[in-house]
């Protein structure tokens, strides 16, 4: 009887262990879901950055085209009494008409600034707040750069003030740049602002 049992065990084949050795156990790989989500947020921030910049350029150029078509250089149009006026000003200088008669120099400087803005966003694009600020900055720089390349000067037209006390004449691109500067100063003074909408990287 014992011989038959032994023979039966031999015919049934070797016994398979219930568990595999540790070095033979299947290895589970973590899915890169967090990285995929992180990349999606990064792409969304680039869309905000580029989309906002293009929006500023379009509005800036449309308003300038309307002004050039309806006013002559130096001509003024009243909007709200003496407080808000439109005046066709040809600015060959920098922001708000500063440092005039240097259009070529500021055109070259604008190209450098555009490159620096894009490069900075590539390294600091984890924050939606910074993407918005840099989008305004890029749009403003491109708007005025377009003027310098196409006309040789920047069209400024918004004139605000009371009587003889006037602010510098500006345009949509200038307003976008000023908004960006205020946002960046705010982020420097209150670092928590730059973390609004921030992409969190895991690991």
């Amino acid at each position: 009887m014992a011989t038959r049992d032994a023979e039966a065990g031999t015919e049934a084949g070797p016994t398979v262990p219930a568990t595999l050795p540790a070095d033979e156990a299947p290895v589970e790989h973590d899915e890169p879901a967090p990285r995929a989500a992180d990349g999606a947020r990064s792409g969304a921030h680039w869309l905000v950055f580029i989309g906002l910049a293009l929006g500023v350029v379009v509005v800036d150029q449309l308003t300038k085209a309307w002004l050039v078509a309806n006013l002559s250089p130096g001509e003024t149009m009243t909007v709200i009494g003496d407080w808000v006026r439109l005046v066709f000003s040809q600015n060959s200088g920098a922001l708000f008409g500063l440092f005039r008669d240097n259009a070529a120099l500021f055109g070259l400087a604008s190209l450098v600034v555009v490159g620096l803005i894009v490069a900075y966003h590539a390294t600091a694009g984890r924050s939606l707040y910074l993407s918005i600020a840099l989008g305004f900055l890029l749009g403003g720089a491109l708007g005025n750069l377009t003027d310098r390349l196409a006309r040789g000067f920047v069209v400024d037209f918004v004139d605000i003030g009371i009587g003889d006390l006037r602010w510098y004449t500006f345009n949509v691109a200038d307003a976008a740049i000023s908004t960006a500067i205020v946002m960046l100063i705010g982020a420097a003074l209150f670092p928590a602002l730059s973390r609004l909408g921030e992409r969190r990287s895991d690991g």
Side-chain angles (χ1 to χ4, degrees):
M1 180 67 70
T3 302
R4 290 181 179 178
D5 291 339
E7 292 176 356
T10 301
E11 294 176 357
T15 304
V16 179
T19 58
L20 295 175
D23 58 348
E24 297 182 7
V27 179
E28 295 183 359
H29 298 281
D30 295 333
E31 295 294 330
R35 290 183 179 274
D38 190 65
R41 293 192 191 98
S42 176
H45 290 179
W46 274 100
L47 286 176
V48 170
F49 171 66
I50 296 174
L52 185 57
L54 291 177
V56 169
V57 172
V58 169
V59 174
D60 178 67
Q61 291 301 305
L62 287 176
T63 54
K64 289 172 178 175
W66 178 88
L67 185 96
V68 170
N70 289 275
L71 295 180
S72 301
E75 186 178 355
T76 300
M77 176 186 295
T78 299
V79 178
I80 303 177
D82 193 44
W83 296 353
V84 180
R85 303 182 303 188
L86 300 181
V87 55
F88 187 171
S89 175
Q90 299 176 342
N91 174 17
S92 58
L95 188 69
F96 297 129
L98 301 175
F99 310 109
R100 289 182 176 274
D101 301 323
N102 290 283
L105 176 62
F106 286 111
L108 179 61
S110 297
L111 287 173
V112 175
V113 169
V114 166
L116 291 175
I117 294 171
V118 175
Y120 182 73
H121 183 266
T123 60
R126 294 173 58 182
S127 166
L128 179 60
Y129 180 91
L130 289 179
S131 291
I132 293 173
L134 294 174
F136 275 123
L137 192 60
L138 179 62
L142 288 175
N144 284 337
L145 175 60
T146 301
D147 272 19
R148 291 190 174 96
L149 294 178
R151 298 187 175 95
F153 59 87
V154 174
V155 176
D156 288 335
F157 58 91
V158 181
D159 178 36
I160 297 176
I162 300 176
D164 294 331
L165 185 61
R166 318 298 299 180
W167 184 248
Y168 295 105
T169 306
F170 63 96
N171 55 43
V172 173
D174 294 337
I177 293 173
S178 298
T179 300
I181 291 173
V182 170
M183 292 181 69
L184 293 174
I185 292 175
L189 296 176
F190 306 99
L193 288 175
S194 63
R195 294 192 291 271
L196 294 176
E198 184 177 8
R199 298 190 280 112
R200 299 185 183 278
S201 55
D202 299 326

